[in-house]
Amino acid sequence: MSGIEGKVVAITGASSGIGEATALLLAERGAKIVLGARRPERLEALAARIEKAGGDATWARTDVTRREDLAGLVKLARDRYGKLDVLVSNAGIGLISRLDDLRVEDWEEMIDVNLKGVLYGIAAALPVFREQGFGHFVNTVSTAGLRIVPLQSVYAGTKNAVRTISEGLRQEAGDSLRVTVVSPGAVRTDFAERMDPAAKAQIDKMMETALSPDAVARAIAFAIEQPDGVDVGDIVVRPTAQG
Ligand SMILES: NC(=O)c1ccc[n+]([C@@H]2O[C@H](COP(=O)([O-])OP(=O)(O)OC[C@H]3O[C@@H](n4cnc5c(N)ncnc54)[C@H](OP(=O)(O)O)[C@@H]3O)[C@@H](O)[C@H]2O)c1
């Protein structure tokens, strides 16, 4: 199957930013969307917006730090639409700080959401993809893992762990599953909201030339729309002005 029309796509972190933009774009192009995040009111409103525009969407409150929530999201896709074509593991947080600050709880939260959240998605979807004989993992990582800068080491570490696991998954996947990592540069979203002021200053500077989340959504759509035998492994999409 090629193209986007008729594919069933589950997206974590779908309540804002890149996940929301991806849901809207893929729905517009005929995908059936299964939305996951922790804020139900936002998911409900987004699903209603998609349906009002003639699309098809459903949602489930999903905390990616809970393995059973990912299993529930995948089950919802199959119960409602009969299959799952794509899992976009996009939920992520960037609680960046200097290592000297010893914000160990923030490190743990990033590991739980950014790394273990993706692993729980793999655990939920891989057996289903194997049974179906098709499936596509799309994991949102970051250019923070390509050019390492101060304050971002733990965040970048979680993203590069996902990059490494994705490559291992690709190698184990065989000829019927696809694995894509997308590395966005600076994107204008709510991403910096929970950062402390020093970290936010670094990010605010990057936001001056940041991309719209639609740019990342288009990159994800590009990977999904390729014919079955074409595996787009790695996409980097960043502002032209980003160093
Ligand atoms: N913005 C950038 O410059 C940038 C650059 C590179 C990579 N990224 C990556 O892009 C992805 C999306 O971020 P964004 O920029 O779109 O920021 P965002 O607007 O803050 O979106 C983050 C999403 O993740 C969800 N989320 C957070 N914790 C979660 C959890 N425990 N369980 C389920 N969902 C959770 C949030 O929803 P709820 O709060 O409703 O759960 C939200 O939908 C992240 O993986 C981020 O690391 C962003």
Side-chain angles (χ1 to χ4, degrees):
M1 188 179 188
S2 67
I4 290 173
E5 174 114 47
K7 281 192 176 159
V8 179
V9 183
I11 304 172
T12 68
S15 60
S16 65
I18 293 167
E20 179 183 38
T22 302
L24 287 167
L25 179 68
L26 296 177
E28 197 185 295
R29 295 179 58 180
K32 300 170 197 315
I33 310 295
V34 184
L35 307 163
R38 293 165 305 172
R39 287 171 290 177
E41 67 291 347
R42 293 187 72 127
L43 298 179
E44 192 174 17
L46 180 58
R49 187 172 158 198
I50 288 171
E51 301 250 329
K52 197 164 171 226
D56 197 341
T58 187
W59 62 273
R61 187 184 186 284
T62 307
D63 181 339
V64 298
T65 67
R66 293 162 48 94
R67 184 177 171 189
E68 60 272 30
D69 284 12
L70 268 309
L73 193 70
V74 170
K75 184 173 182 307
L76 173 63
R78 296 188 95 195
D79 289 350
R80 170 88 182 242
Y81 300 118
K83 62 172 179 167
L84 178 67
D85 292 283
V86 187
L87 174 63
V88 182
S89 285
N90 165 77
I93 52 171
L95 305 174
I96 65 173
S97 60
R98 291 184 60 80
L99 291 165
D100 281 317
D101 294 342
L102 301 183
R103 297 176 72 135
V104 177
E105 277 108 28
D106 288 354
W107 303 348
E108 287 170 342
E109 199 178 335
M110 284 189 283
I111 290 166
D112 287 346
V113 176
N114 300 357
L115 173 53
K116 287 170 73 178
V118 176
L119 285 169
Y120 292 157
I122 293 170
L126 187 55
V128 171
F129 288 171
R130 289 291 190 209
E131 190 191 316
Q132 295 177 160
F134 60 84
H136 188 173
F137 291 98
V138 178
N139 297 329
T140 309
V141 291
S142 175
T143 58
L146 299 176
R147 181 168 172 268
I148 314 297
V149 297
L151 276 68
Q152 297 192 15
S153 39
V154 179
Y155 172 69
T158 62
K159 292 298 186 178
N160 277 353
V162 171
R163 193 186 305 280
T164 300
I165 291 162
S166 301
E167 174 56 14
L169 178 62
R170 188 191 71 77
Q171 294 198 23
E172 291 181 16
D175 59 8
S176 53
L177 309 191
R178 304 193 294 177
V179 184
T180 301
V181 292
V182 179
S183 300
V187 184
R188 204 167 300 106
T189 66
D190 298 340
F191 188 61
E193 292 220 324
R194 281 183 59 203
M195 289 177 188
D196 75 24
K200 201 161 177 307
Q202 183 194 61
I203 297 297
D204 283 348
K205 183 90 196 106
M206 293 174 73
M207 285 302 150
E208 286 169 15
T209 54
L211 297 173
S212 149
D214 298 329
V216 185
R218 288 194 298 275
I220 292 173
F222 172 79
I224 294 174
E225 75 188 352
Q226 300 306 311
D228 274 352
V230 179
D231 187 6
V232 177
D234 209 331
I235 303 180
V236 181
V237 50
R238 62 188 149 212
T240 319
Q242 183 173 324

